[in-house]
Amino acid sequence: MPAPAAAKPKPGSCAKTITACGCVIDQPGIYTAANDLSASQTTQSNCIEIAPKGSGAILNLMGVKVLGNDDGTGIGILIRKDAVDVIVEGGLESNNTPPQNPVGSPPESSMFAKVNLWDVGIEDDGDRAVIVLFADIGGSLLGGAGPVTPKGNATAGVFLNGVKGSFVGDFNANFNSKFGVIMKGSSDVTLANFTAASNHDTGVRLESSDQNSIGPAGASSNTNDGMLLLDSSRNTIHDSNGNSFNGNTGIMLACGSGDLCPLADGSSENRIVNAGAPANSVAGIVINLGNLRNTVTLTNNHDNGGPNDMIDLNPDCDHNTWYNNVGTGNQNCVQ
Amino acid sequence: MRLTNRFELKRWARTTASAALGAGLMGLLATAAVEADPPDCPIAITACGCVISQTGTYTAANDLSASQTSEPNCIEIAAAHSILNLKGVKVLGNNAGIGILIDRKATSVIVEGGDEADGSPQAVVSQWNIGIEDDADGAIIEAFNAIGGLALLPSGHTPGNVTGGVLLKAVENSIIGDFVASYNGKFGVKLVKSSMVHIANATTQKNGDVGIRLDASNSNRIGPATTAGNANLGNWLLTSSHNLIHDLPGATGNGNTGILIGCGLKTKNCPGNERSDRNRVINSGAPGNAKAGIVIRKHSESNLVTVNHNDGNGGKQMDMVDENNKCDSNVWYNNTGQGNQACIQ
């Protein structure tokens, strides 16, 4: 009979100045990274965890790299459930001159942290976190433009898991193997001033997540969709003009249970305002069958590859409102 | 007293009529009774003084003016789910009334100043008491060239609204975005008892008092926005909590303070009932104001200020000010500028 595997030791408490992966922040206070951090420095799954007893803690990565093993495992920064009011920042505001603008150009700064080659770059399971100032939570073109596509995190750059009231801003989440940002069961979250581009599935994916705000933002050149809302209602997408060049659709509202929405779990009462989804391979904005009472207005959606820029699969748009948008629609009610 | 809301006007008339009967003042009754409802707006609106009472899509066909009507307001919207597109026209008042009024029961209304197509003009709403007032939930108000005055080159400006550009009263979930509300007599945007409102892509400059003011309004989001050159304050959160200000780097050049959280600056030792708690100011900035950048007044607690640029304000160590002892439970972290206490970083 083989001996049982030895239990992995619990991670030790992080020092105020963090020099290696594999520790947990379990007291409030201000913690900073002193040097680049790597999964190779520890046997722990994750680099830095913030525990409930560390609620209110501040972690500033001071522009370092936080790199995983590139084997699809682990989390770069994990804010555990019940670790509330945590702040995670990638650098100093004094280096943010001019202020970083991921939606504009250039999108990246070498002064802010990079979190890459994990399964998930940053996972927030705690309410009211603030996560800001990251050059890359995923792969980067900075200083390495060439024929090789940069590699990101295996599942996602940022994962918000059952949280309320968190703010994630000022970051790039590009070149991840699935998602730039994914939200599950989360509400009242704000995603602002970010780019989720060239991810190998979807730029921003919301699952069963309501009352969130997205924008300003851009989700371009993702393999599938720019932004996908599944079973997610009362969200606002605003000032998000760059949902372009995605392999399928710029912005899609869909049911969690599939195209025919058998479980009536649609994405409803969402508002897409002052945004745009032009030049995607198939369509700009799509509202699938069973997704109702959404409003799409003041969006620019020209030059998508399919027969229509804007598609509502509900008969006569049901109770969706499309008004004052640019692009072709699949029904007269799509204007 | 000037009553600008049609329903308030009717209520006033009824109340006044009762009083008049009791007192035998039949002349006053007669005066109150002649107030008539404004006519229904046609689908293509050509003049001020009408009410949208049926759901539909309405457009302005030409410039609209208070001189076209004896009604106090230009256009009232009383039908839920209506759409009004002003198609880039001017809606000019006579320094009273409201340019566009969304009545309390008219939920989920869309009011837009122009077409999305490239190069389309956006509307101007000015010289009213209030440019646009939203009293109903779920409105979308977007795409205005000016809800207030327009700057003139090389100097000067056209007149704004007497009191304010945009007023939201007791609403939830409205969105106001893509607009400029400048040169108004008191404020660019004011929220009263409103929640879950988005103010986005907004510029409020050179208003007579404050750019964006929240009174007793919670859980709202502001940003991206610019609030510069206002006579007193860029932004003021008065008895307002759980709000988020983000991507607002231009709270600059204001006559007093860029961002004020708590009671008014004229009040010494703020009373505890005028607190503004748990607000977050992120990735913004209040540099170059005459006195202070960001101020949290006494008794306002658990606010977070992080990743802001606040240099070069006029007062000594006034880029960031917390009036609470050791900042109490307010968190100031990773900002630029000088603070009045060591707890401000």
Side-chain angles (χ1 to χ4, degrees), chain A residues 200-246:
Chain A
H200 295 298
D201 187 336
T202 299
V204 179
R205 178 181 169 113
L206 272 60
E207 294 181 26
S208 304
S209 294
D210 304 329
Q211 287 182 209
N212 304 289
S213 174
I214 302 173
S220 64
S221 302
N222 297 287
T223 301
N224 196 5
D225 298 327
M227 296 186 182
L228 173 60
L229 275 59
L230 290 167
D231 182 23
S232 296
S233 297
R234 299 184 300 285
N235 299 286
T236 299
I237 299 173
H238 68 94
D239 299 290
S240 175
N241 292 298
N243 302 298
S244 310
F245 307 114
N246 294 288

Side-chain angles (χ1 to χ4, degrees), chain B residues 61-187:
Chain B
N62 46 251
D63 288 346
L64 306 175
S65 167
S67 65
Q68 297 165 323
T69 180
S70 59
E71 296 291 335
N73 309 322
C74 184
I75 300 173
E76 285 187 41
I77 303 174
H81 299 282
S82 293
I83 297 173
L84 170 63
N85 188 334
L86 293 171
K87 295 281 184 181
V89 306
K90 292 176 182 166
V91 183
L92 301 180
N94 55 2
N95 295 319
I98 301 169
I100 310 295
L101 171 61
I102 303 171
D103 289 336
R104 174 79 53 213
K105 293 182 179 177
T107 58
S108 302
V109 159
I110 297 175
V111 177
E112 295 180 351
D115 289 338
E116 174 66 5
D118 289 345
S120 296
Q122 297 183 340
V124 173
V125 183
S126 67
Q127 299 173 57
W128 301 90
N129 181 37
I130 301 291
I132 299 177
E133 179 174 321
D134 173 23
D135 295 356
D137 295 347
I140 295 175
I141 301 167
E142 291 264 343
F144 283 83
N145 186 21
I147 309 173
L150 285 163
L152 297 171
L153 295 175
S155 63
H157 61 88
T158 63
N161 297 290
V162 173
T163 297
V166 182
L167 174 62
L168 284 80
K169 287 171 62 177
V171 305
E172 291 185 357
N173 284 314
S174 289
I175 298 174
I176 50 174
D178 203 12
F179 68 96
V180 178
S182 300
Y183 302 108
N184 295 292
K186 290 187 177 176
F187 58 82

Side-chain angles (χ1 to χ4, degrees), chain A residues 304-330:
Chain A
N304 289 282
N308 295 111
D309 296 306
M310 300 176 284
I311 297 172
D312 195 322
L313 295 176
N314 297 280
D316 199 22
C317 299
D318 208 325
H319 289 86
N320 294 311
T321 299
W322 300 75
Y323 178 71
N324 203 2
N325 303 289
V326 172
T328 60
N330 71 322

Side-chain angles (χ1 to χ4, degrees), chain A residues 58 60 85 89 91-93 96-97 128 165 170 188-190 193 213 239 271 273-274 297-298 323-324, chain B residues 83 85 112 114-116 142 173 175 198 200-201 221 244 246-247 278 280 283 304 306-307 309 333-334:
Chain A
I58 297 172
N60 194 327
D85 295 316
E89 297 183 354
L92 293 174
E93 174 68 3
N96 194 18
T97 53
R128 298 188 303 278
D170 258 7
D188 296 319
V189 168
T190 301
N193 203 24
S213 174
D239 299 290
R271 296 184 290 185
V273 180
N274 196 30
T297 187
L298 293 170
Y323 178 71
N324 203 2
Chain B
I83 297 173
N85 188 334
E112 295 180 351
D115 289 338
E116 174 66 5
E142 291 264 343
N173 284 314
I175 298 174
H198 276 71
N201 205 17
R221 292 177 168 106
L244 170 65
H246 69 93
D247 298 290
R278 301 197 75 89
R280 297 187 290 185
N283 195 34
L304 169 64
T306 188
V307 189
H309 260 77
Y333 177 71
N334 202 6

Side-chain angles (χ1 to χ4, degrees), chain A residues 16 18 25 30-34 58-64 87-93 111-113 132-134, chain B residues 307 333-334:
Chain A
K16 288 292 173 67
I18 298 171
I25 292 172
I30 298 175
Y31 299 78
T32 57
I58 297 172
L59 169 63
N60 194 327
L61 294 170
M62 293 290 186
V64 307
I87 299 173
V88 178
E89 297 183 354
L92 293 174
E93 174 68 3
M111 305 304 294
F112 301 113
V132 289
L133 280 185
F134 283 83
Chain B
V307 189
Y333 177 71
N334 202 6

Side-chain angles (χ1 to χ4, degrees), chain A residues 263-282:
Chain A
L263 300 182
D265 53 352
S267 296
S268 299
E269 299 179 43
N270 297 289
R271 296 184 290 185
I272 304 172
V273 180
N274 196 30
N280 296 284
S281 294
V282 178

Side-chain angles (χ1 to χ4, degrees), chain A:
Chain A
M1 187 173 178
K8 189 179 285 186
K10 289 185 177 179
S13 297
C14 293
K16 288 292 173 67
T17 301
I18 298 171
T19 57
C21 279
C23 66
V24 59
I25 292 172
D26 51 13
Q27 293 184 51
I30 298 175
Y31 299 78
T32 57
N35 45 253
D36 288 347
L37 306 176
S38 167
S40 64
Q41 298 166 324
T42 181
T43 58
Q44 298 294 326
S45 302
N46 308 324
C47 185
I48 300 174
E49 297 186 17
I50 302 167
K53 288 184 178 177
S55 290
I58 297 172
L59 169 63
N60 194 327
L61 294 170
M62 293 290 186
V64 307
K65 293 176 183 170
V66 182
L67 300 180
N69 280 326
D70 193 15
D71 59 0
T73 65
I75 300 168
I77 310 294
L78 171 60
I79 303 170
R80 292 184 193 163
K81 184 173 170 56
D82 297 328
V84 299
D85 295 316
V86 162
I87 299 173
V88 178
E89 297 183 354
L92 293 174
E93 174 68 3
S94 56
N95 292 325
N96 194 18
T97 53
Q100 187 176 232
N101 178 15
V103 183
S105 179
E108 298 175 284
S109 165
S110 59
M111 305 304 294
F112 301 113
K114 300 172 174 28
V115 184
N116 198 15
L117 305 178
W118 301 90
D119 179 37
V120 172
I122 299 178
E123 179 173 326
D124 174 23
D125 296 358
D127 292 347
R128 298 188 303 278
V130 173
I131 301 167
V132 289
L133 280 185
F134 283 83
D136 294 297
I137 310 174
S140 170
L141 282 172
L142 191 66
V148 178
T149 301
K151 194 168 184 180
N153 298 288
T155 296
V158 179
F159 178 22
L160 291 111
N161 185 15
V163 304
K164 187 171 184 179
S166 289
F167 178 93
V168 191
D170 258 7
F171 68 96
N172 297 283
N174 306 331
F175 299 107
N176 295 290
S177 295
K178 290 185 179 175
F179 313 115
V181 179
I182 181 168
M183 244 190 254
K184 290 185 179 179
S186 296
S187 62
D188 296 319
V189 168
T190 301
L191 304 177
N193 203 24
F194 72 99
T195 292
S198 300
N199 297 287
H200 295 298
D201 187 336
T202 299
V204 179
R205 178 181 169 113
L206 272 60
E207 294 181 26
S208 304
S209 294
D210 304 329
Q211 287 182 209
N212 304 289
S213 174
I214 302 173
S220 64
S221 302
N222 297 287
T223 301
N224 196 5
D225 298 327
M227 296 186 182
L228 173 60
L229 275 59
L230 290 167
D231 182 23
S232 296
S233 297
R234 299 184 300 285
N235 299 286
T236 299
I237 299 173
H238 68 94
D239 299 290
S240 175
N241 292 298
N243 302 298
S244 310
F245 307 114
N246 294 288
N248 193 306
T249 297
I251 301 172
M252 178 174 285
L253 308 186
C255 296
S257 55
D259 289 348
L260 298 179
C261 206
L263 300 182
D265 53 352
S267 296
S268 299
E269 299 179 43
N270 297 289
R271 296 184 290 185
I272 304 172
V273 180
N274 196 30
N280 296 284
S281 294
V282 178
I285 302 178
V286 174
I287 301 180
N288 271 337
L289 186 67
N291 299 272
L292 307 174
R293 299 183 300 283
N294 298 287
T295 300
V296 182
T297 187
L298 293 170
T299 69
N300 213 309
N301 311 300
H302 52 82
D303 294 334
N304 289 282
N308 295 111
D309 296 306
M310 300 176 284
I311 297 172
D312 195 322
L313 295 176
N314 297 280
D316 199 22
C317 299
D318 208 325
H319 289 86
N320 294 311
T321 299
W322 300 75
Y323 178 71
N324 203 2
N325 303 289
V326 172
T328 60
N330 71 322
Q331 303 186 61
N332 289 333
C333 54
V334 178
Q335 299 177 15

Side-chain angles (χ1 to χ4, degrees), chain B residues 20-340:
Chain B
L21 281 171
L25 300 174
M26 298 307 292
L28 182 56
L29 169 62
T31 301
V34 296
E35 294 287 352
D37 285 349
D40 287 350
C41 294
I43 293 294
I45 298 171
T46 56
C48 279
C50 65
V51 58
I52 292 173
S53 54
Q54 294 188 42
T55 300
T57 300
Y58 297 76
T59 58
N62 46 251
D63 288 346
L64 306 175
S65 167
S67 65
Q68 297 165 323
T69 180
S70 59
E71 296 291 335
N73 309 322
C74 184
I75 300 173
E76 285 187 41
I77 303 174
H81 299 282
S82 293
I83 297 173
L84 170 63
N85 188 334
L86 293 171
K87 295 281 184 181
V89 306
K90 292 176 182 166
V91 183
L92 301 180
N94 55 2
N95 295 319
I98 301 169
I100 310 295
L101 171 61
I102 303 171
D103 289 336
R104 174 79 53 213
K105 293 182 179 177
T107 58
S108 302
V109 159
I110 297 175
V111 177
E112 295 180 351
D115 289 338
E116 174 66 5
D118 289 345
S120 296
Q122 297 183 340
V124 173
V125 183
S126 67
Q127 299 173 57
W128 301 90
N129 181 37
I130 301 291
I132 299 177
E133 179 174 321
D134 173 23
D135 295 356
D137 295 347
I140 295 175
I141 301 167
E142 291 264 343
F144 283 83
N145 186 21
I147 309 173
L150 285 163
L152 297 171
L153 295 175
S155 63
H157 61 88
T158 63
N161 297 290
V162 173
T163 297
V166 182
L167 174 62
L168 284 80
K169 287 171 62 177
V171 305
E172 291 185 357
N173 284 314
S174 289
I175 298 174
I176 50 174
D178 203 12
F179 68 96
V180 178
S182 300
Y183 302 108
N184 295 292
K186 290 187 177 176
F187 58 82
V189 178
K190 184 175 180 180
L191 274 59
V192 179
K193 295 181 179 176
S194 296
S195 61
M196 294 182 283
V197 167
H198 276 71
I199 303 173
N201 205 17
T203 298
T204 61
Q205 298 187 128
K206 300 188 176 179
N207 295 287
D209 185 9
V210 58
I212 298 175
R213 173 173 171 161
L214 273 59
D215 283 9
S217 294
N218 303 324
S219 302
N220 303 287
R221 292 177 168 106
I222 303 172
T226 297
T227 54
N230 297 287
N232 191 15
L233 307 170
N235 308 269
W236 183 11
L237 276 56
L238 172 63
T239 55
S240 297
S241 297
H242 295 276
N243 298 288
L244 170 65
I245 296 176
H246 69 93
D247 298 290
L248 194 156
T252 184
N254 295 290
N256 193 304
T257 295
I259 300 173
L260 176 64
I261 298 173
C263 76
L265 293 169
K266 291 179 181 174
T267 306
K268 287 188 176 179
N269 297 320
C270 292
N273 62 350
E274 290 191 357
R275 52 198 294 171
S276 296
D277 299 336
R278 301 197 75 89
N279 299 289
R280 297 187 290 185
V281 183
I282 302 173
N283 195 34
S284 297
N289 295 285
K291 290 189 177 175
I294 302 177
V295 175
I296 300 179
R297 299 223 61 196
K298 195 168 182 64
H299 292 125
S300 290
E301 297 176 359
S302 300
N303 297 286
L304 169 64
V305 183
T306 188
V307 189
N308 298 288
H309 260 77
N310 310 302
D311 309 86
N313 291 283
K316 185 179 180 183
Q317 295 182 319
M318 293 280 281
D319 293 322
M320 296 173 283
V321 176
D322 195 320
E323 294 183 351
N324 299 281
N325 184 35
K326 295 181 180 177
C327 300
D328 203 321
S329 54
N330 296 310
V331 175
W332 300 75
Y333 177 71
N334 202 6
N335 305 286
T336 69
Q338 294 187 318
N340 72 323

